[in-house]
Amino acid sequence: MANPTGKPVSAAEARRVAEEARETEWKAPSFLKQIFLGNFRLDLVHPFPEPPPERPEFRDFMARLDRFLMDRVDSDAIDRDGKIPPAVIEGLAELGAFGMKIPKEYGGLGFTQREYGEAMKLITSRDANLIVLLSAHQSIGVPQPLKLFGTKEQKNKYLPRLARGEISAFALTEPNVGSDPANLATTVRRTPEGDYILDGEKLWCTNGTVASLFVVMARHPDTKKISAFIVEKAWPGVEIGERCHFMGLKAIENGIIRFRNVRVPKENLLWGEGKGLKLALITLNTGRLTLPASCAVLGKRCLEICRTWANERVQWGEPIGRHDAIAQLLAEMVATTFAMDAVTDLASSMADMGDRDIRLEAAVAKMWSSEEGWKIIDRTMQIRGGRGYETADSLRARGEAPIPVERMMRDFRINLIFEGSSEIMRLFIAREAVDRHLGIAGAFADPKAALGKRLAALPRMAAHYAWWYPSRWLGWGRWPRFAEFGPLSGHVRYVDRTTRRLARAIFHLMLLHGPKLERRQALLFRTVDVGADLFAMAAALSRADQLRLAGAAEAAQAAELADIFCRTTRRRIAAHFRAMRGNDDVAKYRTAMRLLDGEHLWLERGMTPMAMAAELASEAMPAAPAAARG
Ligand SMILES: Cc1cc2nc3c(=O)[nH]c(=O)nc-3n(C[C@H](O)[C@H](O)[C@H](O)COP(=O)(O)OP(=O)(O)OC[C@H]3O[C@@H](n4cnc5c(N)ncnc54)[C@H](O)[C@@H]3O)c2cc1C
């Protein structure tokens, strides 16, 4: 369905909508926010927050879940059939898995974020489709925004149903709305009685074809504001359209949902009119923490696969893991997996503490873990060689272990796209990284602002930067600071020093490029990547130190992994700083524009034609049989 205006909104309008939905206040401290300002707040990540001792109730649940996954879930069959068997969904519902995050008073299990993360890790270790089913339901589906923003009546009405196993879905995306909600075309109009009439079409709604409840984002045509509603599938006018199919996650129930003149009672508005986008963003703050948990488990599974195979497979007279090229990959994989686990647990624990603002930590955890996880699965494919590319069924048929690297890779790739693509996460993080500077110097740097307004900003700027800038050069980041970290103290000092260096670099870029910096994404994204790496280093160092303090048996190994991770990451950070000073960004941008303008069409000669336009594609494809829809 097209945007009712017929064309996408302007860049300025897209920015305005995003700004309006932004949470502008920072009521609680954030480690990453401070990193971008040049303050290394070790106290916010150290000591590493350990969960309280495991509750017997939680331990029982995990044991039952483990047995269930082992006995009843056949991942190869799920992938092959493109369907999660109803018995598996029923079994999960009986276990209470649809209500893990729902408070006990509403019939849920009342898990903390960290406990929920542990359960989701266990499920991921068995099957990625199940994690997407459960995550779309309760990380971003109806339970999460309802818990955060619902009224008592709404909670009483829906949470018990959801805890019992009614499936829910989150419906924001539309054909013209992927990363940019400003194009939202689903409309909602008020009736004289105060209810709402919903019209529109949602795309790629995970669980959409099996859910009975949806949280739907729609726009008021008069005010242009976006609101969120709980919508029931059973209501007249809700139509479940085509099921969509993807490269991986073959069994997710993802589809098109149409709303035609659907009457939504006023009681089903969530939070308030015009607060829908903000609700979606806040829901995603903790909602997107499930994804890094899955990435950490993928890393662990890849380690298991590669450790076994690199020992077992002998080529050129030696196990392949003993050839230097493969050994280098293995070392980075094990060190990064240690860091991913630390990042996930740290961000989840921070969410449970409730006294920290985790929006940047969650975004970094999602972006960083999905990208590092992708490298790990790619390397696992390389280490498994041809067997990595072969399907599990084919391996089994030949009498070999059915190790599903091919499926894991297919299932994993989407993590860099949904729940905020890597680029959108970087934009979001970069916006917050420069926020303080914009607040203080924004008016001065704005060429459209009146001269009076620009000059009025000067005294405030002078007062702030006269102290702030020199102090980003001061501070002792050398020995013996942080000596209590023992052999890892050098890395802690590096994080401290580099935090100030990063803040200076951001400031220098702002001075150099002014408002045009907004358009220099490659430059801005390097600053984001340095911040993300510093967070990952801090998490790994803190986790290693916590194991040392606890006298854990694996403390020495953890210190080794943290050390290797930090050494590798420091080299990457150095490369980012170098590229901030000298790069080919402008030349590459120009080449990309020429490509877009067709100047390099000559290079595309010599291929068979491909249908690039939608009309051609629909001409070529026979209409889907009715049975395949819904
Ligand atoms: C399997 C699957 C499940 C999904 N589940 C759900 C769901 O349950 N509910 C739901 O609402 N949606 C869902 N989605 C939609 C998903 O969230 C979107 O695909 C995602 O937000 C990206 O949107 P898009 O695909 O339209 O890409 P686009 O927004 O068209 O972006 C295309 C590319 O351009 C980049 N890009 C876009 N804007 C910018 C910019 N300003 N600067 C730099 N780069 C930019 C993007 O990062 C991306 O690389 C699902 C999608 C899939 C494939």
Side-chain angles (χ1 to χ4, degrees):
M1 197 182 97
N3 183 328
T5 62
K7 56 179 185 347
V9 298
S10 67
E13 176 62 5
R15 221 172 298 125
R16 191 193 62 74
V17 171
E19 277 297 315
E20 226 174 72
R22 211 182 127 240
E23 286 176 81
T24 47
E25 280 183 59
W26 292 82
K27 292 192 191 121
S30 153
F31 177 78
L32 265 160
K33 175 85 178 168
Q34 290 304 319
I35 285 273
F36 288 116
L37 288 171
N39 305 319
F40 176 44
R41 287 282 308 271
L42 181 63
D43 60 304
L44 293 176
V45 294
H46 185 268
F48 197 90
E50 269 310 286
E54 212 172 62
R55 295 179 302 123
E57 210 180 316
F58 176 65
R59 201 176 318 124
D60 285 354
F61 172 85
M62 291 295 276
R64 282 185 287 125
L65 181 64
D66 195 18
R67 235 179 357 260
F68 174 83
L69 294 169
M70 289 300 294
D71 297 347
R72 308 261 297 274
V73 177
D74 177 346
S75 275
D76 291 332
I78 289 177
D79 183 59
R80 199 182 308 125
D81 301 342
K83 199 86 195 158
I84 301 173
V88 170
I89 297 181
E90 282 156 27
L92 286 171
E94 277 162 27
L95 282 168
F98 287 91
M100 284 188 270
K101 282 181 82 180
I102 296 176
K104 282 185 180 173
E105 55 183 305
Y106 299 105
L109 299 179
F111 286 178
T112 62
Q113 183 65 36
R114 185 83 183 262
E115 288 173 333
Y116 175 68
E118 289 304 313
M120 295 302 249
K121 283 184 189 174
L122 188 64
I123 299 168
T124 307
S125 72
R126 192 75 183 165
D127 189 76
N129 295 283
L130 295 188
I131 210 73
V132 175
L133 162 75
L134 292 171
S135 183
H137 164 71
Q138 64 197 313
S139 298
I140 59 172
V142 179
Q144 184 70 6
L146 186 54
K147 214 170 81 172
L148 292 173
F149 304 106
T151 61
K152 191 81 193 144
E153 295 71 37
Q154 288 171 334
K155 290 180 186 171
N156 283 336
K157 181 169 178 190
Y158 288 114
L159 285 178
R161 284 170 58 180
L162 292 156
R164 278 197 298 273
E166 271 194 54
I167 299 174
S168 74
F170 172 83
L172 169 65
T173 301
E174 299 176 5
N176 288 330
V177 178
S179 309
D180 180 7
N183 283 318
L184 205 89
T186 297
T187 58
V188 68
R189 290 182 170 75
R190 276 208 104 153
T191 66
E193 300 77 36
D195 291 339
Y196 298 91
I197 300 293
L198 184 67
D199 275 290
E201 178 178 302
K202 294 291 177 181
L203 177 66
W204 294 332
C205 183
T206 300
N207 292 348
T209 49
V210 291
S212 54
L213 295 168
F214 301 91
V215 51
V216 180
M217 306 295 152
R219 187 191 288 277
H220 303 267
D222 44 355
T223 61
K224 305 261 184 290
K225 304 254 187 224
I226 295 169
S227 297
F229 300 89
I230 300 174
V231 176
E232 302 206 20
K233 177 187 170 181
W235 291 345
V238 180
E239 291 170 23
I240 309 303
E242 297 80 359
R243 183 177 166 198
C244 305
H245 299 276
F246 302 97
M247 162 187 180
L249 298 174
K250 295 290 185 189
I252 61 169
E253 292 285 349
N254 182 300
I256 293 176
I257 315 294
R258 296 192 181 90
F259 304 101
R260 300 211 197 284
N261 235 356
V262 177
R263 192 177 184 107
V264 181
K266 53 180 172 296
E267 298 77 33
N268 280 38
L269 169 72
L270 271 168
W271 199 10
E273 267 190 21
K275 294 190 165 176
L277 266 192
K278 201 169 251 187
L279 170 141
L281 292 184
I282 296 174
T283 298
L284 276 167
N285 280 344
T286 43
R288 60 167 65 99
L289 286 175
T290 307
L291 203 144
S294 304
C295 297
V297 170
L298 170 105
K300 290 170 193 237
R301 182 63 84 210
C302 287
L303 285 185
E304 184 189 20
I305 293 170
C306 291
R307 179 177 46 74
T308 311
W309 184 243
N311 267 318
E312 207 176 285
R313 178 71 170 168
V314 176
Q315 294 286 282
W316 293 56
E318 270 193 299
I320 55 168
R322 300 198 180 265
H323 294 303
D324 187 51
I326 302 296
Q328 299 296 325
L329 298 183
L330 292 173
E332 281 191 23
M333 277 169 72
V334 65
T336 305
T337 300
F338 174 74
M340 281 205 297
D341 213 28
V343 162
T344 300
D345 290 348
L346 180 61
S348 296
S349 296
M350 284 174 159
D352 282 334
M353 287 172 175
D355 62 350
R356 276 146 223 224
D357 192 315
I358 61 137
R359 74 189 100 146
L360 284 177
E361 286 72 13
V364 163
K366 190 271 174 190
M367 174 197 88
W368 185 86
S369 302
S370 58
E371 293 184 354
E372 292 302 311
W374 179 245
K375 285 184 214 156
I376 287 179
I377 184 70
D378 186 47
R379 285 165 182 186
T380 302
M381 170 75 73
Q382 194 66 20
I383 290 172
R384 279 283 289 164
R387 287 165 179 81
Y389 196 65
E390 190 172 6
T391 65
D393 282 345
S394 174
L395 285 163
R396 190 185 292 106
R398 294 197 297 104
E400 290 207 26
I403 296 169
V405 175
E406 170 266 344
R407 167 162 57 78
M408 286 162 61
M409 188 173 219
R410 279 191 283 114
D411 287 347
F412 191 84
R413 185 57 180 85
I414 188 62
N415 288 326
L416 287 79
I417 297 173
F418 63 13
E419 294 189 17
S421 69
S422 286
E423 291 78 13
I424 297 305
M425 290 293 88
R426 284 190 171 82
L427 280 178
F428 167 71
I429 297 160
R431 171 67 185 85
E432 299 308 334
V434 299
D435 183 53
R436 176 74 68 87
H437 301 297
L438 285 183
I440 289 160
F444 180 75
D446 181 1
K448 290 189 199 129
L451 183 66
K453 208 172 163 202
R454 292 178 73 182
L455 292 177
L458 268 175
R460 197 161 159 237
M461 273 172 63
H464 174 75
Y465 288 113
W467 163 83
W468 183 84
Y469 185 70
S471 64
R472 293 319 94 174
W473 287 92
L474 303 173
W476 185 248
R478 304 274 168 191
W479 188 84
R481 267 200 97 190
F482 308 116
E484 64 277 19
F485 282 83
L488 295 176
S489 59
H491 294 309
V492 184
R493 287 193 285 273
Y494 173 86
V495 177
D496 177 44
R497 289 194 305 274
T498 311
T499 297
R500 288 190 289 279
R501 186 177 175 199
L502 174 62
R504 293 194 307 261
I506 294 172
F507 182 67
H508 296 159
L509 288 175
M510 291 186 75
L511 281 185
L512 203 61
H513 299 280
K516 290 195 183 118
L517 183 59
E518 192 189 349
R519 304 278 309 159
R520 297 290 304 270
Q521 291 185 341
L523 274 179
L524 275 174
F525 288 7
R526 287 184 192 107
T527 67
V528 169
D529 288 348
V530 171
D533 275 341
L534 291 177
F535 178 53
M537 282 178 73
L541 291 164
S542 180
R543 165 57 68 75
D545 197 54
Q546 172 244 343
L547 291 170
R548 179 186 65 85
L549 291 173
E554 60 273 38
Q557 286 94 329
E560 178 189 345
L561 297 184
D563 178 49
I564 291 293
F565 175 72
C566 289
R567 285 169 188 245
T568 313
T569 307
R570 285 171 70 160
R571 290 185 199 284
R572 183 160 67 192
I573 290 176
H576 283 315
F577 277 120
R578 268 198 306 279
M580 282 182 218
R581 290 192 303 273
N583 54 64
D584 305 314
D585 296 349
V586 174
K588 280 156 82 180
Y589 190 84
R590 265 193 224 119
T591 298
M593 294 312 104
R594 291 192 188 116
L595 169 78
L596 293 177
D597 294 342
E599 286 187 38
H600 296 300
L601 268 176
W602 54 273
L603 198 57
E604 296 173 23
R605 279 182 220 134
M607 300 190 296
T608 58
M610 190 168 94
M612 294 294 285
E615 311 84 69
L616 291 176
S618 56
E619 266 169 34
M621 285 285 292
R629 301 191 209 122

